Amino acid sequence: TPYSSDNTSFNPQHDYDYFHLFDTYIAIKTYDGLFILDQHAVHERILYEQIKKTTDSTSPTRQPLLISEVIELDPDLYPIYETESNYLANLGFIIDPFGENKIIVREIPTVFVDAGISDLVNSILLQLKDIPGSTRNLTLDQKEKLQLQACKAAIKAGKSMHTDEVKQLVKDFIASPSNYTCPHGRPLCLKFDKKKLESLFLR
């Protein structure tokens, strides 16, 4: 059964037993069954919601980089950066020019602290390039496409995660509002209760 209707199986104050499978799935034992989480979908949804809050905020929180990152842009993307620098600033990026077709990233939105910065910035600029016109005139659907594109650059998908990262993802999932799917509409997890397990074993 896809996880879609309620969060009553979880108590945010309780520590649940879980284990990590194939660097992709997380199994959580609850009182009424077993939940199998897709780490990619769960992390994507959580970040997506955080990004939406960031873009809706008039003053998004930022994280200064210990070492500023220099990025060499493709020649066709540098003019996009120049045109949309205010939009990037509104998202929470502090970026300056750094020579021909180069930029230097000094601060990033806190939601992206674990992201690959070069991939993230290039991903946003590519999406801006693909949407003609000023960002001030974007439709809601286009803005969500931008948020989703940025989110893809930040997620952990099919990769090994440290124990603390898995624990935090489980905690964030349990604390999330109900009926979440990933931004693509896929379920975040599957639930196997006693009845479902018995049917699988033809009982």
Side-chain angles (χ1 to χ4, degrees):
T1 302
Y3 174 77
S4 60
S5 58
D6 62 66
N7 233 4
T8 56
S9 293
F10 297 103
N11 178 351
Q13 307 303 319
H14 184 74
D15 289 330
Y16 291 93
D17 294 329
Y18 62 86
F19 54 91
H20 203 194
L21 291 169
F22 312 123
D23 290 334
T24 302
Y25 303 103
I26 303 170
I28 305 176
K29 176 186 175 184
T30 73
Y31 73 93
D32 63 346
L34 182 71
F35 284 77
I36 309 294
L37 277 62
D38 180 334
Q39 75 181 34
H40 174 105
V42 170
H43 198 198
E44 185 175 25
R45 184 75 224 190
I46 290 168
L47 288 180
Y48 181 67
E49 292 300 319
Q50 292 175 340
I51 293 165
K52 285 174 68 177
K53 291 179 182 178
T54 298
T55 55
D56 290 340
S57 173
T58 56
S59 56
T61 56
R62 298 193 299 263
Q63 174 68 48
L65 300 178
L66 290 177
I67 301 176
S68 298
E69 182 159 341
V70 176
I71 302 173
E72 183 169 1
L73 299 174
D74 289 341
D76 60 333
L77 287 185
Y78 191 82
I80 305 298
Y81 154 71
E82 291 182 309
T83 302
E84 308 295 354
S85 58
N86 287 338
Y87 176 77
L88 291 167
N90 288 338
L91 285 180
F93 291 91
I94 300 298
I95 303 175
D96 294 316
F98 200 74
E100 185 176 2
N101 294 330
K102 292 182 180 180
I103 57 176
I104 184 167
V105 182
R106 304 187 188 279
E107 298 184 32
I108 61 174
T110 53
V111 69
F112 293 130
V113 292
D114 294 323
I117 297 170
S118 179
D119 288 343
L120 173 63
V121 172
N122 273 283
S123 178
I124 295 173
L125 291 175
L126 282 169
Q127 185 68 54
L128 288 169
K129 176 188 173 185
D130 291 340
I131 300 175
S134 168
T135 52
R136 292 189 297 274
N137 299 321
L138 293 180
T139 65
L140 177 62
D141 180 61
Q142 288 170 328
K143 287 180 180 178
E144 292 214 348
K145 285 180 181 177
L146 279 176
Q147 293 161 352
L148 182 56
Q149 189 70 19
C151 187
K152 285 181 180 179
I155 57 176
K156 297 178 176 69
K159 60 177 285 188
S160 178
M161 296 172 65
H162 296 299
T163 301
D164 289 344
E165 291 177 316
V166 178
K167 184 176 181 179
Q168 186 62 49
L169 192 60
V170 170
K171 181 179 178 181
D172 290 343
F173 168 76
I174 292 172
S176 295
S178 61
N179 71 15
Y180 268 359
T181 60
C182 82
H184 303 295
R186 295 190 297 108
L188 299 187
C189 74
L190 301 176
K191 178 182 179 181
F192 296 88
D193 56 16
K194 182 179 180 181
K195 183 177 180 180
K196 178 64 176 177
L197 289 172
E198 288 180 341
S199 69
L200 290 174
F201 284 97
L202 305 179
R203 295 176 66 92

